[in-house]
Amino acid sequence: MQITEIYKSLQGESTHAGLPCVFVRLTGCNLRCTWCDSEYTFQGGRKMTLDEVRGEVSRLSQAPGLVEITGGEPMLQEKEVVPLMQRLLDDGYQVLLETSGERPLEHVPAQVVKVVDVKCPDSGEANTFRMDNLATVTACDEIKFVLASRADYDFALDFTRRHRLAEKVHAVLFSPAFRKDATGARDSSHCLLDPQQLAEWMIADNVPARLGLQLHKFIWDPAVKGV
Ligand code: SF4
């Protein structure tokens, strides 16, 4: 499979935020979100076998521990990445899959925690969510909306309520988008949607979701990769 990087850091998103985690970042994405902070994954990388990836993961962190499969869009390499996730589970790791929601997810092993995006209008990739994926998410999974505006918030709130997401998954996450060229200050000034504003809307609407911040961007310079 084509891999951009494998590294160890703290998990920055989802309900696992704050935990040490090995990230396996696969190369390539078929979407082009306006605020994407992973454009460096679109090309390049290096070919690695399943056993080479397993070896690198175990060098960085012995099982049990957290491993996130991410990208780019990892499910573009479904034939290779599904067996990889199963082997990592067999090795004793807890496996998270971060995915755009555009690819089919029915072949993802059941023990993998899926963190599935639903793209909002300001991403430029609205309507890419594969509605069949609502049948594949379970009470262990998480659904994430990255928000850049009030229009995005209204979309996310309507989608969450209409599809009763809070009853389907472990967590629904509303997360402010970060400016993709952000650098320097490690604070919310780089958010495209002010977290305080988002929090106030969520409180007023009693939203069945939790506000998620990208923790790593408040710990390291947001321009730093591999953290
Ligand atoms: S799906 Fe993810 S990697 Fe692909 S363009 Fe959007 S944010 Fe970037």
Side-chain angles (χ1 to χ4, degrees):
M1 65 201 90
Q2 198 73 16
I3 300 286
T4 293
E5 56 188 356
I6 301 175
Y7 61 95
K8 188 177 182 187
S9 185
L10 286 188
Q11 176 57 250
E13 301 183 66
S14 81
T15 61
H16 294 80
L19 292 171
C21 182
V22 175
F23 292 83
V24 178
R25 190 177 293 284
L26 282 86
T27 306
C29 189
N30 53 337
L31 303 188
R32 290 293 180 267
C33 303
T34 51
W35 34 253
C36 178
D37 62 358
S38 305
E39 291 173 329
Y40 66 102
T41 68
F42 291 169
Q43 288 162 345
R46 62 184 168 125
K47 278 215 177 316
M48 293 179 76
T49 65
L50 186 155
D51 283 333
E52 286 170 339
V53 174
R54 279 176 72 218
E56 183 62 7
V57 169
S58 71
R59 188 185 71 76
L60 292 167
S61 175
Q62 293 290 316
L66 201 58
V67 179
E68 177 172 298
I69 307 297
T70 186
E73 173 45 56
M75 289 304 287
L76 288 173
Q77 301 185 65
E78 180 176 354
K79 282 202 176 78
E80 294 82 14
V81 85
V82 167
L84 171 64
M85 290 189 285
Q86 188 58 59
R87 288 302 298 273
L88 291 170
L89 290 167
D90 295 344
D91 289 341
Y93 292 100
Q94 185 178 11
V95 180
L96 307 181
L97 170 68
E98 176 89 26
T99 176
S100 70
E102 187 272 343
R103 296 279 91 200
L105 300 175
E106 64 258 33
H107 299 307
V108 176
Q111 305 97 307
V112 170
V113 174
K114 300 187 288 292
V115 181
V116 185
D117 278 7
V118 179
K119 299 298 182 188
C120 298
D122 281 20
S123 71
E125 293 290 1
N127 304 315
T128 56
F129 181 74
R130 185 178 291 257
M131 295 304 288
D132 291 352
N133 282 337
L134 285 180
T136 73
V137 292
T138 72
C140 297
D141 295 332
E142 305 187 12
I143 293 184
K144 183 176 68 176
F145 298 86
V146 177
L147 311 174
S149 66
R150 176 75 202 197
D152 281 355
Y153 171 80
D154 289 339
F155 167 83
L157 181 57
D158 176 65
F159 194 100
T160 298
R161 286 182 170 158
R162 194 150 35 92
H163 298 290
R164 299 176 173 272
L165 296 185
E167 296 167 28
K168 286 190 166 67
V169 293
H170 174 57
V172 180
L173 305 161
F174 282 16
S175 184
F178 240 71
R179 243 176 266 287
K180 65 179 176 183
D181 56 354
T183 184
R186 295 168 291 160
D187 60 41
S188 62
S189 61
H190 299 301
C191 291
L192 294 172
L193 175 59
D194 182 354
Q196 181 179 336
Q197 176 67 86
L198 175 57
E200 288 169 3
W201 292 338
M202 292 176 73
I203 294 164
D205 290 329
N206 210 22
V207 173
R210 66 178 76 194
L211 195 156
L213 296 174
Q214 293 179 293
L215 193 60
H216 49 294
K217 295 189 175 171
F218 293 83
I219 299 174
W220 291 279
D221 184 319
V224 175
K225 306 300 179 207
V227 292

